[in-house]
C-alpha cells in the first residue's frame, strides 16, 4: 500500500488529476450497473481502465477514428437493446457511454468541463431508479468528488494537493446547503413531484392479482419490506389479528386462483360491512409495488386518506388507488378487527361464483366431501345455514390428519387439492388455503381466498411495525346465511404458531449471516433493526415530505390557513435574504481576501492623504521610490517598510511576518502633506 501511494504521489499532475476524475466517474456509474445493459457496464469499465493506463504511462490518446467507431458501435447496441434512442432507459445508457467515451479526448480544461457537466447529469439519473438512503449517500460522495475535481481544474498553477481542493469543495457544499434545505422544505410540491415510469417496477416481487399454488412460498424467501405501520398511540391489536388485506380471489382453474371477471373498482353489491369494537387508527408507509391496491388492516369501513390519489373500494373490502403504486406512498386508515360483511341472504345466483369448480378436477377431494356429507353429524345440516359445523369438521381433519406446514412441499401437479389432502399432506399457506376452499366448495359452502400479509415485526427503535414480503399469507373466507362472510385461517389449524406466536418459516441463513448468528444470536437482528429505523426516517422525512407537510410547516410558524401562494412567498423572501447575505459576505470576504494586498492598499491610502497619488497597480518598490522622490529623508522609514513588504511576498527566505509589518505600519511616521522642498 505504501509503495502504491508513493507511486501515485510521483505521478505528474495531469495523470494524478485524470485518475481522480476517473475514480469519481466510476463511483457515479457503479450504482447503475444493475440497471444498465451488461455490454454498457463492460464497455464503460474497459474505457475507464484504458484511459487510466494511458494517463499512467503518459501515452497519447486514441485517434478520432477510434472514438467514432466506439460511438457508432454503442449507438447501435443501444438501439438494439432498447429499440429506441429516446426514453429513460436508452437515455441513461447513452449518458453513461458518452461520459466514458469523453474521457478518451480529455486534453484541455474545456474537455474536463464537459465531463463535469455529463458527470452531474449522470449522477442525477441514479435517482430515476432508486431514491434510497444508500443511493443518496453514494451520490453525495460523488458530488463532493466532482466539486473537488472542478475546483482543482481552476487551480492551474503548480501542483496543489487534492485535499486543498476537497476542503474548498466541502465549504462550497456547506455554503449551498441552507439554500438546498430551503428549496426542499418550501418549493411547492405537486404530486407526484418525483416518480418513475411504471416499468421501473418490472420484476419486483410482491403480491399479485393471481395466485398459483406455490407462489406465496416464493415470497417467504424475500425479506424485503412491503410496508411500515405506525399505530396511533402505539396501541396495536394483538399480532394474531394483524391481517392486512390484499387481492381477493374467487375463480379457480385447477391450479391458479384469480379475481372474478370484471371484478375491480366497484362491484355487484354493497359490502354491507358490519363492525364491532373500537376502531384501530394507523398510518401505512407502503413500498412501491406497481399494483393499485392499498393494504389495510381487515377491515376498513372508510377509504384510506392517501394524498394525491383517488381511492375506491370494492364489495370484497379491497381498496384501490386510481394508479399503480410506483413510489413510496403514505396514507392513514381506520380499521376494525371484529367485522362481518356481505349479504345476509342468498339472492338469485349472486353467490354461485363462490361455489364454482372446474369440472373433473380434484375428484378425490369431491369424494371426501361426499363422505363428510354422509357423516351423521353433518348429514342433516344445511351447508349454507350451518356453515360453522362444516368448517370445524375440516379444521379438525387438518389438526389430526398429520398435515405439516413447510416451505418446500415439492412441485404440485394439476389436482393440487387431491395431492394436499391425500398424498403430500404438507404445504405452505396457499396450499392449505386452496385445498380448504376447494373442499368447502365441494361441501356446498360459498368460499374464497384472500391474500395479503399476516403479522409483522415491531422495531422498538422507531416504534414502527415492519411488514415484509416474507409475511405474505393466504387465508379463506366462508359465507353463512344470516352472518355473511367470515374469516377462516386454515393454516392456523396446521401450524398455530404461524398466526399466534408468529413462528415464521425462514430459509437457512447464508454463511455470513450464520457466522454472525453463531457469535451473537441477536447481533444481526439488532443491526437490521437499527438500519431499518434509519432508513425509515429517510423515507418518512425526505421521500415522503409531501405538500400537506409543507403546509403544516407554515402553520407551525404562524400561518393560520397556509396556501401554495404563501409557500411561494416564504420561499421568495428566503431566497432574496440569502442572496443579500451572500452578496454581503462576498464583499466582506473580498476585503479580507489577501491581507498582504489589504496592507499595501492602506499604505497607498496614507501616501495619497500626504499628497502622493499612486496607481493601484504600483508595486511596493515603485511606491518606495516615488515616496523618496517626493518627500526625501522624511520618508526613509516608509521606504524601508515598503521594501520589507515587498520582501515578505517575493523573497520568502527572509521575510518579516505580516503581523510584524502590520505593527510597524501603525508606528510609522508618515510624511506630512507637503512636497519636497
Amino acid at each position: 500500500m505504501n509503495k502504491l501511494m508513493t507511486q501515485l504521489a510521483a505521478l505528474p499532475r495531469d495523470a494524478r488529476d485524470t485518475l481522480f476524475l476517473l475514480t469519481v466517474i466510476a463511483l457515479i456509474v457503479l450504482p447503475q450497473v444493475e440497471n444498465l445493459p451488461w455490454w454498457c457496464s463492460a464497455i464503460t469499465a474497459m474505457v475507464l481502465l484504458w484511459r487510466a493506463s494511458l494517463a499512467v504511462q503518459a501515452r497519447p490518446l486514441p485517434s478520432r477514428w477510434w472514438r467514432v467507431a466506439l460511438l457508432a458501435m454503442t449507438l447501435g447496441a443501444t438501439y438494439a437493446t432498447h429499440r429506441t434512442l429516446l426514453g429513460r432507459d436508452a437515455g441513461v445508457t447513452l449518458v453513461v457511454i458518452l461520459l466514458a467515451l469523453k474521457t478518451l479526448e480529455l486534453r484541455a480544461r474545456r474537455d474536463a468541463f464537459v465531463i463535469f457537466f455529463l458527470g452531474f447529469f449522470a449522477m442525477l439519473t441514479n435517482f430515476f431508479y432508486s431514491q434510497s438512503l444508500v443511493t443518496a449517500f453514494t451520490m453525495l460522495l460523488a458530488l463532493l468528488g466532482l466539486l473537488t475535481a472542478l475546483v482543482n481544474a481552476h487551480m492551474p498553477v503548480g501542483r496543489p494537493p487534492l485535499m486543498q481542493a476537497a476542503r474548498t469543495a466541502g465549504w462550497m457544499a456547506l455554503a449551498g446547503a441552507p439554500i438546498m434545505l430551503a428549496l426542499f422544505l418550501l418549493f411547492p410540491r405537486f404530486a407526484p413531484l418525483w416518480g418513475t415510469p411504471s416499468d421501473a417496477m418490472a420484476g419486483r416481487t410482491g403480491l399479485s392479482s393471481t395466485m398459483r399454488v406455490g407462489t406465496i412460498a416464493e415470497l417467504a424467501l424475500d425479506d424485503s419490506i412491503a410496508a411500515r405501520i405506525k399505530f396511533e398511540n402505539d396501541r396495536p391489536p394483538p399480532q394474531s389479528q394483524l391481517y392486512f388485506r390484499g387481492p381477493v380471489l374467487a375463480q379457480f382453474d385447477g391450479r391458479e386462483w384469480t379475481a372474478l371477471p370484471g371484478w375491480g373498482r366497484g362491484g355487484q353489491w354493497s359490502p354491507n360491512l358490519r363492525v364491532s369494537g373500537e376502531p384501530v387508527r394507523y398510518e401505512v408507509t407502503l413500498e412501491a409495488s406497481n399494483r393499485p391496491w392499498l393494504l389495510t388492516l381487515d377491515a376498513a369501513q372508510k377509504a384510506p386518506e392517501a394524498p394525491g390519489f383517488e381511492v375506491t373500494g370494492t364489495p370484497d373490502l379491497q381498496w384501490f388507488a386510481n394508479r399503480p403504486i410506483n413510489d413510496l406512498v403514505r396514507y392513514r386508515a381506520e380499521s376494525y378487527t371484529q367485522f362481518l360483511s356481505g349479504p345476509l341472504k342468498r339472492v338469485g345466483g349472486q353467490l354461485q361464483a363462490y361455489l364454482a369448480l372446474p369440472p373433473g378436477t380434484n375428484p378425490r377431494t369431491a369424494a371426501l366431501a361426499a363422505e363428510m356429507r354422509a357423516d351423521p353429524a353433518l348429514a342433516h345440516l344445511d351447508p349454507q345455514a350451518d356453515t360453522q359445523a362444516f368448517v370445524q369438521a375440516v379444521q379438525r381433519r387438518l389438526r389430526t390428519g398429520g398435515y405439516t406446514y413447510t416451505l418446500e412441499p415439492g412441485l404440485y401437479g394439476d389436482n393440487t387439492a387431491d395431492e394436499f389432502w391425500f398424498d403430500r399432506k404438507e404445504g405452505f399457506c396457499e396450499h392449505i388455503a386452496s385445498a380448504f376452499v376447494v373442499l368447502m366448495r365441494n361441501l356446498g359452502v360459498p368460499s374464497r381466498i384472500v391474500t395479503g400479509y399476516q403479522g409483522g415485526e415491531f422495531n422498538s427503535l422507531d416504534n414502527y411495525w415492519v411488514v415484509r414480503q416474507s409475511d405474505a399469507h393466504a387465508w379463506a373466507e366462508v359465507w353463512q346465511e344470516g352472518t355473511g362472510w367470515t374469516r377462516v385461517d386454515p393454516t392456523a389449524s396446521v401450524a398455530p404458531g404461524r398466526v399466534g406466536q408468529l413462528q415464521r418459516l425462514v430459509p437457512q441463513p447464508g454463511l455470513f449471516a450464520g457466522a454472525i448468528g453463531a457469535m451473537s444470536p441477536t447481533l444481526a437482528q439488532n443491526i437490521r433493526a437499527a438500519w431499518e429505523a434509519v432508513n425509515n426516517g429517510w423515507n418518512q422525512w425526505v421521500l415522503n415530505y409531501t405538500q400537506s407537510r409543507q403546509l403544516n410547516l407554515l402553520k407551525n410558524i404562524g400561518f393560520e390557513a397556509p396556501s401554495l401562494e404563501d409557500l411561494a412567498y416564504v420561499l421568495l423572501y428566503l431566497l432574496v435574504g440569502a442572496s443579500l447575505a451572500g452578496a454581503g459576505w462576498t464583499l466582506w470576504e473580498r476585503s479580507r481576501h489577501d491581507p498582504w494586498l489589504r496592507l499595501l492598499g492602506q499604505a497607498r491610502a496614507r501616501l495619497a492623504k500626504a499628497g502622493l497619488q499612486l496607481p493601484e497597480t504600483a508595486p511596493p518598490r515603485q511606491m518606495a521610490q516615488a515616496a523618496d522622490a517626493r518627500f526625501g529623508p522624511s520618508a526613509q522609514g516608509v521606504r524601508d517598510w515598503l521594501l520589507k513588504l515587498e520582501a515578505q511576498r517575493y523573497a520568502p527566505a527572509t521575510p518579516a511576518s505580516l503581523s510584524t509589518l502590520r505593527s510597524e505600519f501603525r508606528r510609522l511616521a508618515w510624511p506630512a502633506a507637503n512636497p519636497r522642498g
Side-chain angles (χ1 to χ4, degrees), residues 616-673:
E616 291 188 0
T617 56
R621 183 171 294 273
Q622 181 182 341
M623 293 171 61
Q625 292 171 351
D628 186 57
R630 179 69 180 271
F631 301 109
S634 63
Q636 180 67 33
V638 174
R639 185 178 65 82
D640 293 342
W641 183 85
L642 286 168
L643 293 177
K644 287 182 182 180
L645 185 64
E646 180 189 56
Q648 201 281 334
R649 171 61 62 94
Y650 299 107
T654 57
S657 67
L658 276 176
S659 59
T660 301
L661 291 172
R662 195 176 295 113
S663 300
E664 291 182 4
F665 177 83
R666 298 191 189 100
R667 296 195 299 267
L668 277 177
W670 293 89

Side-chain angles (χ1 to χ4, degrees), residues 111-126:
D111 301 319
F113 292 151
V114 174
I115 291 178
F116 296 149
F117 173 78
L118 285 173
F120 284 119
F121 192 82
M123 184 178 66
L124 290 176
T125 63
N126 280 274

